[in-house]
Amino acid sequence: MHLQIFATGGTLDKVYYDALSDYRIGEPMATDILEEGRVDFTFTVASLIKKDSLELTDADRALVRARVEACPHRHIVVTHGTDTMTETAAALAGIAGKVIVFTGAMQPARFRNSDAAFNLGLAVGAVQSLPEGIYIAMSGRIFEADHVRKNREAGRFESTTDAPNQENP
Ligand SMILES: NC(=O)C[C@H](N)C(=O)O
């Protein structure tokens, strides 16, 4: 398997300058995470955009779509800010012949308590196991991209189709 990663920014790749709580989006952390994970596949990481996903425009989303469509590889992971991940996933609807998995992080990968490595690992497992389609790997689950939302208060992603029960109140 060859894995293509497209990095678009988001908190996963943020670098903070604490005096003003100012940040920039740094180089994609996916490279370090996969190297530290000693993965047994080849991969390339392309940095397409370096923005908080709240600042992404329609043109940015068109760029992501164009790059995914032009990619010769079947297995694609998109690292993305969590706030508008579902919007960019929706902008890729209809792309056939590829397994596309979005992931991101609630805390920067450069922070020790980050969920970034966990989430990227989940996405890597998902992308090689699933049939073609568009998915979101967050909060320890794989969601179909059009059946998930971010619950900001709870700080996690949740299904829009799960029946409410004791495990999913
Ligand atoms: N955790 C995050 O990634 C939130 C951030 N505002 C973003 O969507 O880029």
Side-chain angles (χ1 to χ4, degrees):
M1 179 180 84
H2 181 85
L3 177 64
Q4 174 67 55
I5 297 197
F6 290 122
T8 66
T11 295
L12 187 144
D13 282 332
K14 281 180 185 169
V15 183
Y16 275 92
Y17 302 91
D18 58 355
L20 295 167
S21 284
D22 191 18
Y23 71 88
R24 260 178 239 148
I25 309 276
E27 289 308 306
M29 287 298 287
T31 309
D32 290 26
I33 294 169
L34 293 181
E35 281 172 2
E36 286 161 13
R38 299 168 193 274
V39 297
D40 181 35
F41 54 79
T42 58
F43 63 91
T44 39
V45 180
S47 175
L48 301 186
I49 303 163
K50 288 182 172 172
K51 284 187 182 178
D52 186 296
S53 75
L54 292 169
E55 289 163 13
L56 291 175
T57 62
D58 289 350
D60 292 326
R61 294 199 163 88
L63 169 69
V64 176
R65 184 178 176 105
R67 290 295 299 270
V68 168
E69 277 181 321
C71 175
H73 305 294
R74 176 177 171 83
H75 299 101
I76 297 173
V77 167
V78 181
T79 61
H80 197 288
T82 56
D83 281 322
T84 69
M85 187 180 280
T86 55
E87 285 172 44
T88 304
L92 303 192
I95 297 179
K98 297 184 189 306
V99 192
I100 304 161
V101 181
F102 282 74
T103 196
M106 299 297 183
Q107 296 292 329
R110 292 171 174 86
F111 285 12
R112 210 166 62 90
N113 64 346
S114 176
D115 50 332
F118 178 86
N119 294 344
L120 187 63
L122 181 70
V124 165
V127 79
Q128 58 193 293
S129 313
L130 291 164
E132 65 183 63
I134 306 175
Y135 306 90
I136 286 184
M138 287 296 295
S139 303
R141 291 186 63 182
I142 313 301
F143 303 97
E144 287 178 17
D146 51 354
H147 291 112
V148 59
R149 67 173 157 245
K150 179 178 173 181
N151 179 331
R152 285 216 184 122
E153 292 70 46
R156 60 178 157 75
F157 280 67
E158 61 192 18
S159 168
T160 54
T161 53
D162 278 355
N165 59 30
Q166 283 188 324
E167 276 110 41
N168 299 293

